[in-house]
Each structure stands twice: as structure tokens, then as C-alpha cells.
Amino acid sequence: MTQTIALNDGTSIPTIGFGTYPHDGDDSAANTEHALEVGYRLIDTALSYENEAEVGEGLRRSPVSRDEVIVTTKVPGRHHGYDGARESFAASAKALGLETIDLLLIHWPLPRLDKYVDTWRALVDLQKEGLVRSIGVSNFTPDHIRRLQDATGVTPAVNQIELHPYFQQHEQRAFHAEHGIVTEAWSPLGRGGDLLKEPTLVEIAESLGVSVGQVVLRWHIEQGIVPIPKSKNPDRQRENFDVFSFSLTEDQIAAINTLDKGTPIWDQDPNVYEEF
Ligand SMILES: NC(=O)C1=CN([C@@H]2O[C@H](COP(=O)(O)OP(=O)(O)OC[C@H]3O[C@@H](n4cnc5c(N)ncnc54)[C@H](OP(=O)(O)O)[C@@H]3O)[C@@H](O)[C@H]2O)C=CC1
Ligand SMILES: O=C(O)C(=O)[C@@H](O)[C@H](O)C(=O)CO
């Protein structure tokens, strides 16, 4: 059975999800279908990924029942504002072929536009209307989240942020813990780069007889962080989900915690980064 983590709105989500961007021209439908076969029950997409139709097709092809799957999508910068966010929801739902979306996030805050609070008001209403089950944000700093709370009284259920052993985001996570926000980790494997060759991780992986990727994902899960690894490779999709039959010791977690460089791998500061 899928392990889950509670959200602050009374629902829950699986402790690991499946990222779907980018699939490099591959068949997102086949990837989604295979991910469901492997056992993933949390699927991450976005209007901007331009693959919602294929993700929806994968859901329909799969024998896994719709109500077992949490489908996440996101409102991009070009749809910020109250009406824009509602239009974004409608476009995503249509593309996915779904009447309701399980988790809708604001993709980036784009503070210069100063529309993320109105965008949030739309998500709050969509949730009240039963069109969206849970609502959250992505790439929001504590200041951005405080503004949402002050304006609406509604705290996001989730904040999806870059998070891996090289960028551990301790302050942001402490803020989330204080406010009952679940942290989702994008690029949990550092996009398969140098992180997976890191000697400390290689040593831990060898001692446990698992892969470095599995160690990294287990590190997330053991700290209550929900990783959403992406893979277009069926074997790696399976490997990344196979992280529930071993655990890390406190010493191993402490050793991984020393790897934090304190800076993101990509130059995407949420205070200034704009993606439309
Ligand atoms: N909210 C946001 O702003 C953002 C959200 N996201 C979401 O997060 C998801 C994951 O992040 P992403 O940036 O893709 O990075 P990941 O850290 O998930 O890394 C994906 C890369 O690692 C490779 N890989 C996957 N599994 C393994 C493994 N076990 N061993 C070695 N290499 C592996 C993949 O290659 P291959 O496919 O060949 O296996 C791919 O190149 C995205 O798909 C998207 O859904 C991502 C960025 C920003
Ligand atoms: O993948 C996403 O969700 C994004 O927000 C992208 O911006 C991603 O970070 C990227 O590909 C940047 O080059």
C-alpha cells in the first residue's frame, strides 16, 4: 500500500511522486502508464510542460483507478490573476481529461507582477467549489507565503521547491514545519548530475547495496519531504520507487546533511525568476 503524508486540509498525498518534465519528446503517456504500474500514485505535471494531454492519456490507459491517483498541475505566470488562474485550471482539466484536479499549485510567484495573491484567491475558491481537492504553491519564499496567509487566511498545503543534498533549504523547511506545509522536492536527484557521483553518497549506497539515487530519495522521505523524481527510463522509474525496503541510520543522514552547499544548482531565485 502507498505510504502517505497528511496535508493541512485533512487530505493526504503519497510520500513519493513521479515528475514528468521534460520527457524529451518521449511518450509521456507511456511514462505515466508505466509509473502507475510501478506503484507511483502522485503524478506531477504543469500547464507549462505541454504534456497534460499525454499524462491524461496515460492515466486512462492504466488499470489503476482514477481515485487512487493524485494528479498535480500548476498555474504558470501567464495565467496569474484571479480570472487567469481559473482559466488555467479549466485549460489543465480539459487537457488532462479530468473534471477535478487533486493538487493545484501556483508554479512560480513572479513578484514583479504582484498578482500571486489574486491567483491564490482563485485557488481558494476552486477548492471551495470542489473543483480542486488541495491547493499549494511552488517556489514561494516564507515572505510570499505570509502574504497569502495575511490576505486570505489560507495556508498552502504544499510548497514544491528545489531540494536535494546539495541544496537542503533548512530555513525554508523550518518555516514549512511551523505552518504545517508539506515540502515537495523538485530536482530531488539534482537532475542526475554530479550529486549522484558524490563520494559520501556512493559509500552509503555501497554499504546498503542500493543505488545512489535510492539513497538520495530515501534521505528525502525519511525527513518527511516528498520527492518527485523524473525518469523516462522504465528501469530507473522502478528503481526510484523502490525505496521502502531499507532505511538510513542517523549517522548516514547526518553525513548527507554535511553536503549542503546552500545554493541552488540553477539560477532561479524565486524573488526575481520569471517563467510565463
Ligand atoms: N515546480 C518547479 O518549478 C519544478 C518542478 N519540477 C518537477 O520535478 C520533477 C523532477 O525534477 P527534475 O528537474 O526532472 O530532476 P530529477 O532530480 O528528478 O532528475 C531527473 C534526471 O535524472 C535522471 N535520473 C532519474 N533517475 C535516475 C537514477 N535513478 N539514476 C541516475 N539518473 C537518474 C533522469 O534521466 P532519465 O530520464 O534518462 O532517467 C533525468 O535526467 C520534474 O520532472 C517536474 O515534474 C522540476 C523543475 C522545476
Ligand atoms: O520544470 C519546471 O517546473 C520549471 O519550472 C522549469 O523552469 C525548470 O526549472 C526548468 O527547466 C528551467 O530550465
Side-chain angles (χ1 to χ4, degrees), residues 10 46 70 73 78 91 95 109 114 121 125 127-128 133 149 178 202 210 238 249 253 261 263 267 273:
I70 303 296
T73 193
R78 64 183 179 280
D114 199 19
R121 290 187 206 282
D125 284 351
Q127 185 182 34
K128 281 189 192 144
R133 195 187 74 148
Q149 292 171 315
E178 192 187 330
V202 171
V210 298
R238 195 174 292 282
T249 64
I253 290 183
K261 296 177 195 280
T263 48
D267 191 19
Y273 181 70

Side-chain angles (χ1 to χ4, degrees), residues 96-115:
L96 284 158
L98 300 176
E99 284 181 17
T100 58
I101 285 172
D102 305 296
L103 178 58
L104 186 63
L105 310 180
I106 306 177
H107 204 145
W108 288 90
L110 287 92
R112 186 183 60 86
L113 294 189
D114 199 19
K115 288 180 168 181

